């Protein structure tokens, strides 16, 4: 259970909002404002209710104060997104921040300089967290994408001020809860991508949570190899065969059905439009590589999804960046999106290349929820506790979340 901004009385209060405005930029200009635009909902909501809104965020990976990571370039696109001017302070603590905040009227918004200009931020240094907390009356975390990090602005602050989840954080937590917390069954997971070794925790967690685990992408090759099949020149982590077999055993014990490709699209080289053919997975030629799942595999996956109520998706089914090896990813994604549109399947996806793969398939807006959170989404799929989320949780004993004495 967590408090949302609806539960906060914000009028006249200084509200510190940890947003994720870590957008791509080139030559001092923001090149994609998606994250800024998505953050506007929380900021405009608070401002409309008379809060003095103070935005905290990070930009890049500075080592101390580095001009090229100054957030000043965010002021203009942020002002555009929230439809009003945005004040600026060239530090996130101390006199500059204090002066900018003191000048705010109810309903105004200020952006403070990069929290990562202070190395204490990433160390979750108590004195730094206290210096941030002194600038506000309330704390709102709207940055799910950094919730897997216990930093001062993502975790420490929640213990020092009454805390709540912003709109984006709320949407993410609600979607994730529906997908794995308390999902409608049967639940399927599609896990694709390059390697088993990067997704061990994720696979280990999912086999005990889902009814069907559909494995695709390069990692399926390792499973096929572990089952004694020859995978030719395919990407395959042969040293992970024992691990793959252990995951298959764990799945069996947990009553989770693993669905592996039954046929594959193979080519001689990893290249766009490389000559290719479809073969059964036990007839992969020695001089060819698996680059996608074949049509019979897609049919079996689609058949499985047709009987499911919930789908969690991470990773492409094949080398989707090079045509035509996007076909299985596209076909399965489009089928899932169709079921979502008919209200038959809840679809939650995210992590790594998944967003790009679903966007390329033209279905990202047709899934129930696509998380852009990357690492935080993956850690959640792995079943890990995210410190930024845990700190927002309302303890069973009640209380405001400020840790005592701040409200
Ligand atoms: P990940 O970041 O682990 O989700 O992996 C995504 C990458 O896996 C993409 O770049 C895909 O091209 C790659 N991939 C998926 N299937 C295959 C395959 N059969 N062979 C080689 N690479 C693949």
């Amino acid at each position: 259970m967590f408090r949302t901004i609806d539960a906060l009385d914000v009028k006249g209060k200084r509200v510190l909002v940890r947003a994720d405005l870590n957008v791509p930029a080139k030559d001092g200009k923001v090149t994609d404002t998606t994250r800024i635009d998505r953050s506007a909902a929380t900021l405009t909501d608070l401002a409309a209710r008379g809060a003095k809104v103070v935005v905290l965020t990070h930009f890049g990976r500075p080592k101390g104060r580095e001009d090229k990571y100054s957030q000043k370039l965010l002021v203009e696109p942020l002002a555009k997104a929230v439809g009003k001017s945005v004040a600026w302070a060239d530090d996130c603590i101390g006199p500059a921040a204090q002066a900018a905040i003191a000048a705010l009227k109810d309903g105004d918004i200020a952006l403070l300089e990069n929290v990562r200009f202070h190395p204490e931020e990433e160390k979750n240094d108590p004195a730094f967290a206290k210096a941030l907390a002194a600038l506000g009356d309330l704390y709102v975390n709207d940055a799910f994408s950094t919730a897997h990090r216990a930093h001062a602005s993502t975790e420490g602050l929640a213990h020092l001020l009454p805390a709540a989840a912003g709109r984006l954080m709320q949407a993410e937590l609600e979607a994730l809860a529906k997908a794995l917390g308390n999902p409608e069954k049967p639940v399927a997971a599609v896990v694709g991508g390059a390697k088993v070794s990067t997704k061990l925790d994720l696979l280990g967690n999912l086999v005990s949570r889902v009814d069907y685990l559909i494995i695709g992408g390069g990692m399926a090759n390792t499973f096929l190899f572990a089952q004694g099949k020859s995978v030719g020149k395919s990407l395959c982590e042969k040293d992970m065969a024992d691990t793959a077999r252990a995951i298959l055993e764990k799945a069996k014990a947990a009553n989770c059905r693993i669905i592996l490709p039954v046929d594959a699209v193979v080519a001689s080289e990893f290249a766009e439009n490389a000559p290719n053919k479809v073969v059964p997975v036990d007839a992969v030629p020695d001089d060819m590589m698996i680059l996608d799942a074949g049509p019979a595999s897609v049919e079996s996956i689609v058949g499985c999804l047709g009987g499911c109520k919930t789908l969690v998706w991470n990773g492409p089914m094949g080398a989707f960046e090079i045509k035509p090896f996007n076909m299985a990813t596209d076909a399965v994604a489009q089928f899932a999106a169709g079921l979502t549109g008919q209200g038959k399947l809840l679809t939650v996806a995210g992590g790594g290349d998944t967003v790009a793969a679903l966007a390329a398939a033209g279905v990202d807006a047709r899934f129930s929820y696509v998380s852009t959170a990357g690492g935080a989404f993956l850690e959640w799929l792995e079943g890990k506790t995210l410190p930024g989320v845990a700190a927002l949780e309302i303890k069973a004993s009640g209380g405001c979340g400020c840790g005592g004495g701040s409200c």
Side-chain angles (χ1 to χ4, degrees):
M1 270 253 304
F2 55 91
R3 184 186 288 105
T4 70
I5 55 173
D6 296 314
L8 296 181
D9 176 10
V10 300
K11 184 152 179 47
K13 304 261 174 60
R14 299 164 303 162
V15 184
L16 304 183
V17 181
R18 177 53 159 102
D20 176 8
L21 306 185
N22 189 22
V23 288
K26 202 169 175 233
D27 302 328
K29 286 252 176 291
V30 173
T31 53
D32 178 359
T33 60
T34 308
R35 282 184 166 165
I36 296 175
D37 298 337
R38 292 185 77 210
S39 296
T42 297
L43 305 179
T44 52
D45 181 317
L46 293 168
R49 287 158 56 198
K52 296 173 172 129
V53 183
V54 180
V55 184
L56 299 169
T57 184
H58 77 278
F59 180 58
R61 292 170 180 266
K63 292 186 171 48
R65 184 174 276 271
E66 284 187 73
D67 281 351
K68 65 175 175 176
Y69 293 115
S70 171
Q71 292 177 175
K72 200 156 185 202
L73 82 172
L74 305 180
V75 171
E76 212 184 291
L78 184 58
K80 201 166 160 212
V82 296
K84 54 162 64 194
S85 64
V86 169
W88 165 251
D90 70 1
D91 201 352
C92 66
I93 54 169
Q98 285 157 6
I101 295 168
L104 294 179
K105 293 195 271 310
D106 293 359
D108 284 352
I109 299 177
L111 173 67
L112 307 188
E113 184 56 287
N114 201 333
V115 286
R116 292 195 183 167
F117 278 3
H118 296 265
E120 296 88 348
E121 157 69 2
E122 291 180 67
K123 293 180 189 143
N124 203 358
D125 177 79
F128 179 69
K130 242 176 146 176
L132 288 173
L135 301 171
D137 305 300
L138 301 167
Y139 168 67
V140 170
N141 190 346
D142 210 19
F144 178 81
S145 51
T146 54
H148 57 317
R149 310 270 182 236
H151 294 170
S153 70
T154 63
E155 202 270 347
L157 267 179
H159 300 291
L160 300 172
L161 293 173
R167 294 277 177 244
L168 286 181
M169 174 71 90
Q170 179 186 351
E172 188 97 25
L173 295 180
E174 286 173 357
L176 301 190
K178 272 195 211 150
L180 277 191
N182 190 16
E184 249 196 279
K185 286 177 155 271
V187 185
V190 166
V191 181
K195 293 179 172 178
V196 175
S197 55
T198 58
K199 298 199 179 168
L200 279 182
D201 289 347
L202 190 150
L203 292 165
N205 183 43
L206 287 180
V207 291
S208 57
R209 308 283 289 271
V210 305
D211 303 292
Y212 300 96
L213 179 59
I214 299 160
I215 300 180
M219 74 164 65
N221 304 341
T222 303
F223 280 90
L224 295 172
F225 174 78
Q227 290 180 330
K229 297 188 169 56
S230 161
V231 294
K233 287 199 307 180
S234 304
L235 174 67
C236 176
E237 294 174 286
K238 295 190 172 159
D239 57 338
M240 297 299 288
D242 283 344
T243 309
R245 279 189 286 268
I247 290 168
L248 293 174
E249 281 305 311
K250 188 173 173 189
K252 208 168 168 191
N255 231 353
C256 164
R257 217 185 114 204
I258 301 251
I259 298 178
L260 281 164
V262 290
D263 61 349
V265 183
V266 294
S268 301
E269 51 170 348
F270 188 95
E272 182 113 12
N273 295 321
N276 60 82
K277 61 180 180 179
V278 175
V279 296
V281 287
D282 42 19
V284 176
D286 286 348
D287 58 349
M288 297 187 95
M289 62 180 83
I290 299 173
L291 289 179
D292 200 8
S297 309
V298 169
E299 205 173 305
S300 104
I301 295 166
V302 154
C304 165
L305 292 185
C308 288
K309 295 272 189 232
T310 305
L311 170 66
V312 182
W313 184 319
N314 170 257
M317 301 291 301
F320 76 99
E321 307 96 326
I322 50 167
K323 286 189 173 142
F325 308 106
N326 56 319
M327 299 247 292
T329 303
D330 285 16
V332 175
Q334 276 157 13
F335 183 78
L339 290 179
T340 308
Q342 293 164 29
K344 293 180 178 159
L345 185 70
L346 178 103
T347 40
V348 174
D353 277 340
T354 314
V355 183
L358 296 184
V363 303
D364 49 336
R366 294 166 59 211
F367 267 42
S368 311
Y369 192 81
V370 177
S371 171
T372 51
F377 183 85
L378 285 176
E379 289 202 18
W380 170 79
L381 274 191
E382 290 166 359
K384 293 190 178 142
T385 300
L386 308 184
V389 172
L392 287 181
E393 257 154 35
I394 301 170
K395 309 288 176 294
S397 58
C400 68
C402 76
S406 298
C407 61

